[in-house]
Amino acid sequence: MVGRWEVGWRGGLCGGEPDVAAGFRVACVTETKAVKSEQTRRLIVETALRLFRERGYEATTMRAIAKEAGVSVGNAYYYFGSKEELIQAYYDELQEEHVAACRAVLDAETEFAPRLLGVLRARVDTMVPYHEFAGKFFKFAAEPTSPLNPFSAESGPARDSAVAIYREVVEGSDLKIDREFRAELPELLWIYSMGIVLYWVHDSSPGCRKTYLLVERTVPLVNRMVSMSRIPGFKSVTRELVGIIREVRA
């Protein structure tokens, strides 16, 4: 009876025989609309990124983006309330690409250094196609009061997702370190990765070769520093560092 009622309800009937065909039609229409909506959203984002590259961030208006994408201005604002929201969408998509690119190394490695190296390489891999574009809006992202700043509230979801990757790097590894330091390490690794990103923005070497080199040379150093936190003489320093982090965060 419950199953029959549910099908009838989906078909728009309150009694009698369930209209199964009508239920399927409603489901198909709903799914088609969702797919079309996502396609429109992605088209607006891709168009905006292209115009930002070609004309610059400041010179590109929402009206220009809508015209180039072939949608109404109202439709563009329906999906994104501002240009800043478009950049946030870019952040989110880039973060999703990074999460997917990290899976192979995180599923295969248990040692801390190879896990960190693989995740940082994947980070650069996913950013390289956007290198030309990144330099054009970095000055806006670097502004402390800008919603595009990676430390802003608006960037919170992308930042939390990024920190979660480094938490997986730590938690899935064979690291044996102080419990409190272990809890703070993912955020410290994310800040370290932001230094890599900053260098990448200004890297003019072919294929961002120097950025990859920076990753390869600094990961062993980070690994040694983290490992040293187990040494009795460094435990007090580590705990003081944890205290500073928590005090500043509060």
Side-chain angles (χ1 to χ4, degrees), residues 74-93:
N75 202 17
Y77 274 111
Y78 171 80
Y79 288 97
F80 301 99
S82 64
K83 292 191 297 182
E84 287 80 5
E85 287 188 14
L86 280 161
I87 297 298
Q88 291 298 338
Y90 157 72
Y91 281 166
D92 293 340
E93 289 186 11

Side-chain angles (χ1 to χ4, degrees), residues 56-114:
Y57 179 76
E58 287 183 306
T60 302
T61 63
M62 289 292 288
R63 182 174 295 277
I65 294 169
K67 181 178 179 181
E68 196 74 13
V71 301
S72 68
V73 177
N75 202 17
Y77 274 111
Y78 171 80
Y79 288 97
F80 301 99
S82 64
K83 292 191 297 182
E84 287 80 5
E85 287 188 14
L86 280 161
I87 297 298
Q88 291 298 338
Y90 157 72
Y91 281 166
D92 293 340
E93 289 186 11
L94 189 61
Q95 188 58 37
E96 289 176 6
E97 291 178 22
H98 185 213
V99 170
C102 291
R103 284 272 53 92
V105 68
L106 292 177
D107 290 343
E109 293 286 352
T110 57
E111 293 185 22
F112 173 71

Side-chain angles (χ1 to χ4, degrees), residues 111-175:
E111 293 185 22
F112 173 71
R115 287 171 73 83
L116 180 59
L117 179 62
V119 165
L120 288 172
R121 279 177 174 166
R123 179 63 170 165
V124 181
D125 288 343
T126 55
M127 293 190 306
V128 165
Y130 303 98
H131 189 256
E132 181 182 355
F133 166 67
K136 295 183 181 297
F137 77 85
F138 180 74
K139 64 179 180 180
F140 300 101
E143 180 65 35
T145 58
S146 171
L148 303 181
N149 190 299
F151 295 92
S152 70
E154 291 83 355
S155 297
R159 181 173 62 250
D160 291 344
S161 178
V163 173
I165 291 178
Y166 295 103
R167 184 171 296 109
E168 187 172 354
V169 168
V170 173
E171 296 303 324
S173 74
D174 54 6
L175 268 182

Side-chain angles (χ1 to χ4, degrees), residues 31 45 52 85 88 99 102 106 144 148-149 154-155 164 176 190 194 217 225-226 243 246:
E31 184 177 354
V45 172
F52 292 158
E85 287 188 14
Q88 291 298 338
V99 170
C102 291
L106 292 177
L148 303 181
N149 190 299
E154 291 83 355
S155 297
K176 294 179 176 60
W190 173 72
M194 293 305 297
R217 296 296 297 273
M225 292 173 65
V226 170
R246 292 178 176 176

